[in-house]
Amino acid sequence: MRGWFYILMTALFMVMGYAPAMAESGPPAAPGAIHLPMRLVPESATPAAGGHVTLAIAATPEKGWHGYWKNGGDAGLPTEAHWTLPRGVTAGELRYPVPGRLKIAGLMNYVYERPFALLVDLNLPAGLARGTALPVSVKLDYLVCTDTICVPESQTLSTTLTVGDGAVAPATRAEFDRWRAALPRPLGGDGVIETKGKGVRIAIPLPASVAVKDAYFFPDRSGVIDHAAPQTLTRNGDQLILAIPAAAVPTPGPVSGVLSIGEGQGLAFAAKPGAIAGAGGDADHGVGAVALAFLGAVLGGLLLNIMPCVFPILSLKALSLARGGGDERHARAEALAYTAGVVLVCVGLGVILLALRAGGQSAGWAFQLQDPRVIGVLLLLVAGIAFNLAGLFELPTPAFAGRSGAMGAFATGALAAFVATPCSGPFMAGALGAALVLPAAAALAVFAGLGIGIALPFIAIGFVPALRRRLPKPGMWMVRLRHILSVPMFLTALALAWILGQEAGVTGMTLGLAAALLASLGFWWTGLRQHGGKGRAGWPAIAALVLAVAIVVTVKPAAAVARTTADTAFSEAKLEDLRKQGRPVFAYFTADWCLSCKVNEAAAIERSSVRDAFARNKVAVLVGDWTDGDPVLGRFIERHNRAGVPLYLYYAPGAKEPQVLPQVLTPSMLEKLGA
């Protein structure tokens, strides 16, 4: 009956337009030919009684052909396995590697076009005598296709196991390690799925520090999403949110699946129905929502003007109008030019941000600050502004010296917007978060609103003569004010140096400060030449600035701070050695993409009171980092009846088995270990 079902499904695909031709592209289907040859490979030919052994169904598609994931997408079928096993032996579910995508005639397929392996665990009953033969056979029914034709195939694979010691040959171990690495890793936490109108949103718990490339959600059942539709990725703190058009006839309820995070890597998770905070559905894209986000951006930009990185620039430019007198036309022209500079930079950053997110990257506002080279350039820029305000030198451009002119006002506005990117304030988070889920045109309007908010004070001064008349008259007090305004700029430079140290380590921060010192020396030399009335006074500053920029562009991000050292990195040999010494051992297994792991580490494991208690009770700590899906750690985790992380184990001195701690830890729980 199963074979007839596959034949009927093949005919259905052809009616749907999946196979419009049979010979124009792709190899023809020869009667009786096998286009997806498979082999059955046991990890151990001598599994131990009472344990389990992993079998691999290794498949190699012929060129031009492909097999299917457990959910084939719009047009495909999973592999059906029918086992013939000895009494007492049971087989688990097939475990599939992360699939690929293949779109044909508007239909999205979840496929394997390259060699792949399905893994399954056989559980053996206890009490089997050594040397007992265990014949294993499986009949596989599956669909194999090209871009023009689908063929149902069937194979029967068999092997014979012998009860023994569970030994694994090194070559076989390496092969299974490679196959396990292709499996999605279980995510330590549930997601949330929300269906509104014609859209589906799925929130996935994933630390914001985890880089995601070309993210795509593969649901394990149909009736959830429109498989062929694009998926939009956004970030909301430690939540990754996917917005996807719903299936034509959506089926409500929980869903599980795999989130592909790039280069064949994936995370398996389940999502339960619920509401997703800060992620409106299609109805939220109306005029009211856009207007609210725009207003929030304007207010957020307005408040940015009191931040230490913007206020000095705005103050000097405003006072330049007072110095320029009461020319109405001149004041309005400068106000409009300043606004154009601010809005252009904000919208430009918005365009780049939306393009990055469309490409699958989890970028947010101030995304450029994730690059330490940008931090270094900002450090030089802010330091230069600070020294200029302090009177070390005079830069003969309106942007810094506060001189009038439309070009100077435009440059000042662009500078203010760019320097404002490290800052954040009230209303900004909600407005810019909304912008990231709005259509592109509406999102850019929100970014423009941010620029308008930054420019509002200068617009008011330029267009309201009464405000200009209230500005104090020029005098020596302006020199003192400039010196005072240098203080917040120096503080901003200090903050940027700290951020540089966080991203690039001590070496990167040292290079950044050295570059700032070099640039400052150039500025100082230029200032001396200016005071002496010498020509080409700016050459020392230009030369020093070029050298300083050359230094900061060499700064690289620091390697991720390892949570393990040679002494704390988990290995079974190290664990055994510590236990032989009679030491209590706390072993925990974590991953960068595991949000619950991060919460436990911050809230309990890395607390000073816990570290002191461990030192007092001589508890050794071992850390298993499963971020890259290390198959050796994976096997150890599986032996403790866990599919993934977090896993927390405490080995008391002399105990035969470890105590498996809860997945939610508290400091008091850990402080009692070894006491």
Side-chain angles (χ1 to χ4, degrees), residues 190-213:
D190 290 334
V192 177
I193 181 170
E194 179 184 49
T195 303
K196 280 189 177 181
K198 297 181 179 180
V200 171
R201 293 184 184 275
I202 302 174
I204 305 161
L206 194 67
S209 59
V210 176
V212 176
K213 181 180 179 182

PDB file of all heavy atoms in Angstrom, residues 190-213:
ATOM      1  N   ASP A 190      11.934  26.910  24.893  1.00  0.00           N
ATOM      2  CA  ASP A 190      10.818  26.909  23.949  1.00  0.00           C
ATOM      3  C   ASP A 190      10.641  28.287  23.327  1.00  0.00           C
ATOM      4  O   ASP A 190      10.905  29.317  23.949  1.00  0.00           O
ATOM      5  CB  ASP A 190       9.516  26.510  24.654  1.00  0.00           C
ATOM      6  CG  ASP A 190       9.503  25.044  25.047  1.00  0.00           C
ATOM      7  OD1 ASP A 190      10.203  24.257  24.379  1.00  0.00           O
ATOM      8  OD2 ASP A 190       8.804  24.690  26.009  1.00  0.00           O
ATOM      9  N   GLY A 191      10.176  28.284  22.100  1.00  0.00           N
ATOM     10  CA  GLY A 191       9.827  29.517  21.426  1.00  0.00           C
ATOM     11  C   GLY A 191       8.341  29.793  21.561  1.00  0.00           C
ATOM     12  O   GLY A 191       7.595  29.072  22.226  1.00  0.00           O
ATOM     13  N   VAL A 192       7.904  30.864  20.900  1.00  0.00           N
ATOM     14  CA  VAL A 192       6.497  31.262  20.898  1.00  0.00           C
ATOM     15  C   VAL A 192       6.082  31.487  19.454  1.00  0.00           C
ATOM     16  O   VAL A 192       6.822  32.110  18.681  1.00  0.00           O
ATOM     17  CB  VAL A 192       6.265  32.546  21.720  1.00  0.00           C
ATOM     18  CG1 VAL A 192       4.810  32.982  21.643  1.00  0.00           C
ATOM     19  CG2 VAL A 192       6.675  32.344  23.167  1.00  0.00           C
ATOM     20  N   ILE A 193       4.912  30.968  19.082  1.00  0.00           N
ATOM     21  CA  ILE A 193       4.380  31.196  17.741  1.00  0.00           C
ATOM     22  C   ILE A 193       3.080  31.979  17.859  1.00  0.00           C
ATOM     23  O   ILE A 193       2.234  31.663  18.702  1.00  0.00           O
ATOM     24  CB  ILE A 193       4.167  29.870  16.976  1.00  0.00           C
ATOM     25  CG1 ILE A 193       3.624  30.153  15.569  1.00  0.00           C
ATOM     26  CG2 ILE A 193       3.271  28.923  17.735  1.00  0.00           C
ATOM     27  CD1 ILE A 193       3.618  28.933  14.667  1.00  0.00           C
ATOM     28  N   GLU A 194       2.963  33.013  17.055  1.00  0.00           N
ATOM     29  CA  GLU A 194       1.784  33.865  17.074  1.00  0.00           C
ATOM     30  C   GLU A 194       1.288  34.026  15.642  1.00  0.00           C
ATOM     31  O   GLU A 194       2.053  34.429  14.758  1.00  0.00           O
ATOM     32  CB  GLU A 194       2.140  35.233  17.670  1.00  0.00           C
ATOM     33  CG  GLU A 194       0.984  36.218  17.726  1.00  0.00           C
ATOM     34  CD  GLU A 194       1.436  37.576  18.239  1.00  0.00           C
ATOM     35  OE1 GLU A 194       2.449  38.096  17.744  1.00  0.00           O
ATOM     36  OE2 GLU A 194       0.773  38.101  19.141  1.00  0.00           O
ATOM     37  N   THR A 195       0.028  33.696  15.419  1.00  0.00           N
ATOM     38  CA  THR A 195      -0.586  33.836  14.098  1.00  0.00           C
ATOM     39  C   THR A 195      -1.595  34.960  14.143  1.00  0.00           C
ATOM     40  O   THR A 195      -2.511  34.956  14.967  1.00  0.00           O
ATOM     41  CB  THR A 195      -1.275  32.527  13.662  1.00  0.00           C
ATOM     42  OG1 THR A 195      -0.321  31.465  13.675  1.00  0.00           O
ATOM     43  CG2 THR A 195      -1.841  32.662  12.264  1.00  0.00           C
ATOM     44  N   LYS A 196      -1.386  35.953  13.251  1.00  0.00           N
ATOM     45  CA  LYS A 196      -2.311  37.086  13.157  1.00  0.00           C
ATOM     46  C   LYS A 196      -2.639  37.314  11.697  1.00  0.00           C
ATOM     47  O   LYS A 196      -1.740  37.610  10.902  1.00  0.00           O
ATOM     48  CB  LYS A 196      -1.690  38.353  13.745  1.00  0.00           C
ATOM     49  CG  LYS A 196      -1.752  38.447  15.258  1.00  0.00           C
ATOM     50  CD  LYS A 196      -1.321  39.832  15.721  1.00  0.00           C
ATOM     51  CE  LYS A 196      -1.448  39.970  17.230  1.00  0.00           C
ATOM     52  NZ  LYS A 196      -1.044  41.336  17.672  1.00  0.00           N
ATOM     53  N   GLY A 197      -3.912  37.159  11.370  1.00  0.00           N
ATOM     54  CA  GLY A 197      -4.323  37.386   9.985  1.00  0.00           C
ATOM     55  C   GLY A 197      -3.592  36.448   9.042  1.00  0.00           C
ATOM     56  O   GLY A 197      -3.644  35.226   9.178  1.00  0.00           O
ATOM     57  N   LYS A 198      -2.858  37.025   8.119  1.00  0.00           N
ATOM     58  CA  LYS A 198      -2.149  36.237   7.117  1.00  0.00           C
ATOM     59  C   LYS A 198      -0.676  36.082   7.446  1.00  0.00           C
ATOM     60  O   LYS A 198       0.101  35.661   6.589  1.00  0.00           O
ATOM     61  CB  LYS A 198      -2.299  36.898   5.746  1.00  0.00           C
ATOM     62  CG  LYS A 198      -3.733  36.967   5.243  1.00  0.00           C
ATOM     63  CD  LYS A 198      -3.798  37.608   3.867  1.00  0.00           C
ATOM     64  CE  LYS A 198      -5.234  37.662   3.355  1.00  0.00           C
ATOM     65  NZ  LYS A 198      -5.292  38.293   1.994  1.00  0.00           N
ATOM     66  N   GLY A 199      -0.290  36.407   8.670  1.00  0.00           N
ATOM     67  CA  GLY A 199       1.118  36.335   9.030  1.00  0.00           C
ATOM     68  C   GLY A 199       1.366  35.468  10.247  1.00  0.00           C
ATOM     69  O   GLY A 199       0.500  35.292  11.108  1.00  0.00           O
ATOM     70  N   VAL A 200       2.552  34.912  10.302  1.00  0.00           N
ATOM     71  CA  VAL A 200       2.998  34.117  11.446  1.00  0.00           C
ATOM     72  C   VAL A 200       4.284  34.741  11.977  1.00  0.00           C
ATOM     73  O   VAL A 200       5.172  35.112  11.196  1.00  0.00           O
ATOM     74  CB  VAL A 200       3.272  32.654  11.038  1.00  0.00           C
ATOM     75  CG1 VAL A 200       3.937  31.887  12.174  1.00  0.00           C
ATOM     76  CG2 VAL A 200       1.988  31.964  10.622  1.00  0.00           C
ATOM     77  N   ARG A 201       4.372  34.860  13.293  1.00  0.00           N
ATOM     78  CA  ARG A 201       5.608  35.314  13.921  1.00  0.00           C
ATOM     79  C   ARG A 201       6.063  34.251  14.903  1.00  0.00           C
ATOM     80  O   ARG A 201       5.262  33.709  15.658  1.00  0.00           O
ATOM     81  CB  ARG A 201       5.425  36.662  14.616  1.00  0.00           C
ATOM     82  CG  ARG A 201       5.149  37.783  13.619  1.00  0.00           C
ATOM     83  CD  ARG A 201       5.076  39.139  14.299  1.00  0.00           C
ATOM     84  NE  ARG A 201       4.715  40.143  13.321  1.00  0.00           N
ATOM     85  CZ  ARG A 201       5.580  40.764  12.529  1.00  0.00           C
ATOM     86  NH1 ARG A 201       6.862  40.471  12.629  1.00  0.00           N
ATOM     87  NH2 ARG A 201       5.179  41.652  11.648  1.00  0.00           N
ATOM     88  N   ILE A 202       7.335  33.986  14.867  1.00  0.00           N
ATOM     89  CA  ILE A 202       7.916  32.977  15.750  1.00  0.00           C
ATOM     90  C   ILE A 202       9.062  33.629  16.500  1.00  0.00           C
ATOM     91  O   ILE A 202      10.004  34.137  15.893  1.00  0.00           O
ATOM     92  CB  ILE A 202       8.415  31.753  14.962  1.00  0.00           C
ATOM     93  CG1 ILE A 202       7.265  31.137  14.160  1.00  0.00           C
ATOM     94  CG2 ILE A 202       9.024  30.726  15.901  1.00  0.00           C
ATOM     95  CD1 ILE A 202       7.699  30.020  13.237  1.00  0.00           C
ATOM     96  N   ALA A 203       8.969  33.643  17.831  1.00  0.00           N
ATOM     97  CA  ALA A 203      10.020  34.183  18.681  1.00  0.00           C
ATOM     98  C   ALA A 203      10.856  33.026  19.228  1.00  0.00           C
ATOM     99  O   ALA A 203      10.315  32.078  19.795  1.00  0.00           O
ATOM    100  CB  ALA A 203       9.423  34.998  19.819  1.00  0.00           C
ATOM    101  N   ILE A 204      12.160  33.122  19.048  1.00  0.00           N
ATOM    102  CA  ILE A 204      13.076  32.042  19.415  1.00  0.00           C
ATOM    103  C   ILE A 204      14.060  32.578  20.441  1.00  0.00           C
ATOM    104  O   ILE A 204      14.702  33.610  20.204  1.00  0.00           O
ATOM    105  CB  ILE A 204      13.830  31.534  18.175  1.00  0.00           C
ATOM    106  CG1 ILE A 204      12.824  31.124  17.091  1.00  0.00           C
ATOM    107  CG2 ILE A 204      14.739  30.372  18.515  1.00  0.00           C
ATOM    108  CD1 ILE A 204      13.415  31.042  15.713  1.00  0.00           C
ATOM    109  N   PRO A 205      14.208  31.929  21.595  1.00  0.00           N
ATOM    110  CA  PRO A 205      15.172  32.419  22.593  1.00  0.00           C
ATOM    111  C   PRO A 205      16.604  32.164  22.120  1.00  0.00           C
ATOM    112  O   PRO A 205      17.055  31.027  22.016  1.00  0.00           O
ATOM    113  CB  PRO A 205      14.829  31.582  23.835  1.00  0.00           C
ATOM    114  CG  PRO A 205      14.208  30.329  23.297  1.00  0.00           C
ATOM    115  CD  PRO A 205      13.499  30.721  22.039  1.00  0.00           C
ATOM    116  N   LEU A 206      17.314  33.228  21.825  1.00  0.00           N
ATOM    117  CA  LEU A 206      18.673  33.109  21.303  1.00  0.00           C
ATOM    118  C   LEU A 206      19.465  34.328  21.753  1.00  0.00           C
ATOM    119  O   LEU A 206      19.065  35.460  21.460  1.00  0.00           O
ATOM    120  CB  LEU A 206      18.650  33.026  19.777  1.00  0.00           C
ATOM    121  CG  LEU A 206      19.931  32.563  19.094  1.00  0.00           C
ATOM    122  CD1 LEU A 206      20.211  31.105  19.423  1.00  0.00           C
ATOM    123  CD2 LEU A 206      19.843  32.745  17.593  1.00  0.00           C
ATOM    124  N   PRO A 207      20.563  34.147  22.482  1.00  0.00           N
ATOM    125  CA  PRO A 207      21.327  35.309  22.955  1.00  0.00           C
ATOM    126  C   PRO A 207      21.678  36.265  21.828  1.00  0.00           C
ATOM    127  O   PRO A 207      22.008  35.855  20.713  1.00  0.00           O
ATOM    128  CB  PRO A 207      22.585  34.665  23.564  1.00  0.00           C
ATOM    129  CG  PRO A 207      22.150  33.299  23.973  1.00  0.00           C
ATOM    130  CD  PRO A 207      21.151  32.874  22.933  1.00  0.00           C
ATOM    131  N   ALA A 208      21.612  37.556  22.130  1.00  0.00           N
ATOM    132  CA  ALA A 208      21.876  38.579  21.112  1.00  0.00           C
ATOM    133  C   ALA A 208      23.292  38.492  20.577  1.00  0.00           C
ATOM    134  O   ALA A 208      23.583  38.972  19.488  1.00  0.00           O
ATOM    135  CB  ALA A 208      21.609  39.962  21.707  1.00  0.00           C
ATOM    136  N   SER A 209      24.205  37.880  21.345  1.00  0.00           N
ATOM    137  CA  SER A 209      25.600  37.792  20.903  1.00  0.00           C
ATOM    138  C   SER A 209      25.816  36.743  19.822  1.00  0.00           C
ATOM    139  O   SER A 209      26.886  36.703  19.204  1.00  0.00           O
ATOM    140  CB  SER A 209      26.493  37.459  22.107  1.00  0.00           C
ATOM    141  OG  SER A 209      26.095  36.223  22.694  1.00  0.00           O
ATOM    142  N   VAL A 210      24.823  35.890  19.581  1.00  0.00           N
ATOM    143  CA  VAL A 210      24.988  34.815  18.604  1.00  0.00           C
ATOM    144  C   VAL A 210      24.769  35.367  17.194  1.00  0.00           C
ATOM    145  O   VAL A 210      23.710  35.911  16.888  1.00  0.00           O
ATOM    146  CB  VAL A 210      24.006  33.656  18.874  1.00  0.00           C
ATOM    147  CG1 VAL A 210      24.128  32.584  17.800  1.00  0.00           C
ATOM    148  CG2 VAL A 210      24.276  33.061  20.245  1.00  0.00           C
ATOM    149  N   ALA A 211      25.771  35.221  16.360  1.00  0.00           N
ATOM    150  CA  ALA A 211      25.656  35.661  14.967  1.00  0.00           C
ATOM    151  C   ALA A 211      24.819  34.654  14.187  1.00  0.00           C
ATOM    152  O   ALA A 211      25.013  33.444  14.305  1.00  0.00           O
ATOM    153  CB  ALA A 211      27.036  35.802  14.334  1.00  0.00           C
ATOM    154  N   VAL A 212      23.888  35.158  13.414  1.00  0.00           N
ATOM    155  CA  VAL A 212      23.015  34.315  12.606  1.00  0.00           C
ATOM    156  C   VAL A 212      23.155  34.737  11.159  1.00  0.00           C
ATOM    157  O   VAL A 212      23.010  35.910  10.824  1.00  0.00           O
ATOM    158  CB  VAL A 212      21.548  34.437  13.058  1.00  0.00           C
ATOM    159  CG1 VAL A 212      20.642  33.624  12.153  1.00  0.00           C
ATOM    160  CG2 VAL A 212      21.398  33.986  14.504  1.00  0.00           C
ATOM    161  N   LYS A 213      23.446  33.782  10.296  1.00  0.00           N
ATOM    162  CA  LYS A 213      23.644  34.078   8.878  1.00  0.00           C
ATOM    163  C   LYS A 213      22.626  33.290   8.057  1.00  0.00           C
ATOM    164  O   LYS A 213      22.515  32.089   8.202  1.00  0.00           O
ATOM    165  CB  LYS A 213      25.072  33.704   8.462  1.00  0.00           C
ATOM    166  CG  LYS A 213      25.387  33.986   7.001  1.00  0.00           C
ATOM    167  CD  LYS A 213      26.812  33.577   6.672  1.00  0.00           C
ATOM    168  CE  LYS A 213      27.142  33.838   5.209  1.00  0.00           C
ATOM    169  NZ  LYS A 213      28.514  33.391   4.861  1.00  0.00           N
TER     170      LYS A 213
END
